[in-house]
Amino acid sequence: MKKVILIKYGELTTKKGNRNLFINTLYQNIKRKLKNYEVNITKEISRMYIEFNENDLELILSKLKNIFGLHTFHVANKVSTNEQDIKNTIINMLKQEKIKTFKVKTKRSDKNFNISSVDFSKMIGSFILNNFKKLKVDVHNPELLLNIEIRQYYSYIYTNSYRGLGGYPVGTLGRGLVMLSGGIDSPVAFYLAAKRGIKLDAVYFESMPYTSLEARNKVINLCKILTNYTDNINLYIIPFTEIQEAIYKYTDNTYAITIMRRMMYRIMEKLVKKMNYQTIINGESIGQVASQTLTSLLVVNEVTNFPIIRPLACLDKLEIINISKKIGTYETSILPYEDCCTIFVPKHPVINPKLTKSKIMEEKFDYEKMINQAIEKLIIVKVNSEKIKNELL
Ligand code: ATP
Ligand code: MG
């Protein structure tokens, strides 16, 4: 008898055409997350199996809980598909349980096995009742559900079930660039987009010396937490000070945020095109602040027709906070370092900005040149869960 982890896929099994891509990507993602452990992973069309070292079990399970594309997984006993071996294993398993009621559920994918699933469950049920006189069957609300999966050569028997995150394996649905500010919202937007299978990198607009190195480190730390759910993240840090100073100097203060965001979007568009990303993602949520009214979004979005995904568009702040606590970014997000938006924020930002007014103000300075310079000077920080590496482009 040998223990293995049996993995059932999430939504991906419904996408027939893409099934191989999804399974292979999930396989690679799991392999990468478990690279520090002695494991043997095998993939099949509807299941994956991981052989592992018993001492590593808890750590492996905690890694699997953070991988998108897993529906459920189970620690199962693997035995050869014959009745006597299955019965012996069940006796051993039940000896260790302190329960009063049980139910047997059999799934038979090897149709050559000559007993139906229902009959096999009944037969095993009577076998258990004969061997454990104190146990009773309860088909509606059993304390213990004994699952038996019968396959051609091996069968898998388990009583536990762990919930995976669902979603699609990261990397199956293209590449995207997230605007990551260090606040509560954008890391949640990152997480939700990654759950859709998008491989993500991040952009942080920085206004040194108005913003601190702590603010930058906070964003790097958020990336580090987010690598729990994805692979390495490239964080592009854009020097944004000069542009912000120009906005402050040349534009009507009530329009500062509108114009600042138009500049951010312009830079984002250039970056995604230059580096072949397919979408821009951010943490905007309708109505949350003045720059996120529908009129504001219309005026800001006018600078690009590149697809922008806003996973939080229709979520309440409380819903967003709950997700950020669940994914582990909340405590870092609430650290009180100011970012570029909070520093230059006007007292009364315009709620319904006009496009023509914005364009007239922008004509007062050569933003195109500043944008190109900012992109030329960007810094890349390569973040993975183990180390952080700084690089100049
Ligand atoms: P967050 O909590 O993510 O900071 P927010 O509610 O403060 O969001 P805004 O400051 O209006 O909202 O920003 C909206 C979105 O724009 C952010 O969620 C983020 O995606 C992006 N953004 C804002 N500031 C920056 C920045 N300095 N660098 C990168 N992206 C930014
Ligand atoms: Mg913010």
Side-chain angles (χ1 to χ4, degrees), residues 86-207:
I86 292 174
K87 282 178 170 168
N88 291 345
T89 304
I90 289 173
I91 296 260
N92 280 331
M93 286 169 76
L94 289 184
K95 269 186 197 157
Q96 294 159 28
E97 297 286 348
K98 292 189 182 66
I99 43 109
K100 295 197 182 74
T101 60
F102 73 97
K103 174 184 173 177
V104 181
K105 194 172 158 198
T106 306
K107 195 161 182 265
R108 185 186 53 136
S109 72
D110 176 18
K111 301 295 174 202
N112 295 325
F113 195 72
N114 55 9
I115 314 176
S116 78
S117 296
V118 175
D119 288 343
F120 194 77
S121 293
K122 280 185 188 155
M123 186 268 287
I124 293 290
S126 332
F127 168 76
I128 293 173
L129 291 173
N130 284 336
N131 282 276
F132 297 89
K133 298 291 180 209
K134 286 182 184 156
L135 288 186
K136 285 198 172 63
V137 173
D138 181 345
V139 287
H140 299 297
N141 197 14
E143 280 175 68
L144 185 104
L145 182 62
L146 183 77
N147 291 281
I148 307 171
E149 292 208 3
I150 299 173
R151 307 213 140 220
Q152 191 175 7
Y153 301 110
Y154 294 103
S155 294
Y156 299 86
I157 310 169
Y158 57 90
T159 56
N160 54 42
S161 179
Y162 299 89
R163 235 189 141 68
L165 286 181
Y168 299 128
V170 169
T172 49
L173 280 140
R175 301 170 73 227
L177 204 48
V178 183
M179 301 165 70
L180 197 68
S181 70
I184 294 171
D185 302 327
S186 38
V188 174
F190 185 113
Y191 172 87
L192 293 176
K195 186 171 184 182
R196 293 293 89 203
I198 309 175
K199 170 78 181 84
L200 299 169
D201 288 315
V203 174
Y204 169 56
F205 295 92
E206 177 176 77
S207 297

Side-chain angles (χ1 to χ4, degrees), residues 204-234:
Y204 169 56
F205 295 92
E206 177 176 77
S207 297
M208 295 265 208
Y210 304 104
T211 59
S212 60
L213 206 55
E214 280 98 334
R216 177 196 285 194
N217 286 334
K218 175 177 166 182
V219 178
I220 294 175
N221 286 333
L222 285 169
C223 284
K224 208 166 171 191
I225 298 169
L226 291 166
T227 60
N228 284 327
Y229 307 99
T230 169
D231 192 17
N232 302 348
I233 298 171
N234 282 343

Side-chain angles (χ1 to χ4, degrees), residues 33-48:
K33 286 287 173 198
L34 300 183
K35 68 174 187 298
N36 294 333
Y37 306 98
E38 244 179 73
V39 288
N40 185 16
I41 312 170
T42 40
K43 52 180 194 271
E44 285 181 7
I45 197 78
S46 64
R47 298 276 186 273
M48 227 174 266

Side-chain angles (χ1 to χ4, degrees), residues 197-387:
I198 309 175
K199 170 78 181 84
L200 299 169
D201 288 315
V203 174
Y204 169 56
F205 295 92
E206 177 176 77
S207 297
M208 295 265 208
Y210 304 104
T211 59
S212 60
L213 206 55
E214 280 98 334
R216 177 196 285 194
N217 286 334
K218 175 177 166 182
V219 178
I220 294 175
N221 286 333
L222 285 169
C223 284
K224 208 166 171 191
I225 298 169
L226 291 166
T227 60
N228 284 327
Y229 307 99
T230 169
D231 192 17
N232 302 348
I233 298 171
N234 282 343
L235 173 66
Y236 306 109
I237 301 178
I238 306 281
F240 202 52
T241 316
E242 213 189 324
I243 295 172
Q244 283 210 294
E245 283 174 344
I247 295 172
Y248 197 66
K249 189 165 164 195
Y250 294 111
T251 71
D252 178 346
N253 193 242
T254 57
Y255 269 67
I257 298 261
T258 310
I259 305 217
M260 183 189 79
R261 299 196 65 74
R262 284 167 60 88
M263 296 300 161
M264 284 183 176
Y265 274 27
R266 286 186 173 107
I267 293 176
M268 289 305 293
E269 187 187 73
K270 283 189 190 270
L271 288 176
V272 286
K273 287 187 172 162
K274 187 173 165 185
M275 298 187 284
N276 285 324
Y277 292 94
Q278 293 142 309
T279 189
I280 297 168
I281 291 138
N282 70 32
E284 287 169 330
S285 176
I286 298 161
Q288 202 186 84
V289 287
S291 63
Q292 293 167 24
T293 61
L294 291 185
T295 327
S296 286
L297 289 176
L298 196 66
V299 174
V300 169
N301 214 149
E302 189 266 345
V303 300
T304 177
N305 47 31
F306 208 84
I308 299 179
I309 298 175
R310 302 176 173 88
L312 313 185
C314 301
L315 296 189
D316 293 345
K317 191 74 191 188
L318 260 181
E319 292 172 310
I320 299 169
I321 288 175
N322 283 341
I323 302 175
S324 90
K325 286 183 176 164
K326 199 187 85 187
I327 65 175
T329 51
Y330 182 75
E331 294 302 327
T332 305
S333 286
I334 59 171
L335 293 173
Y337 308 120
E338 299 197 271
D339 80 354
C340 63
C341 308
T342 39
I343 282 174
F344 288 90
V345 76
K347 279 207 180 67
H348 302 289
V350 60
I351 289 173
N352 291 308
K354 302 272 178 299
L355 183 57
T356 40
K357 260 188 152 176
S358 313
K359 284 185 171 173
I360 291 169
M361 290 182 204
E362 285 172 354
E363 276 166 16
K364 294 187 190 153
F365 62 104
D366 188 358
Y367 64 80
E368 214 32 71
K369 191 173 150 202
M370 291 179 181
I371 283 177
N372 288 332
Q373 279 174 352
I375 292 176
E376 269 167 34
K377 288 190 205 146
L378 75 77
I379 298 169
I380 307 179
V381 181
K382 297 191 174 229
V383 186
N384 76 30
S385 49
E386 283 145 31
K387 60 178 188 295

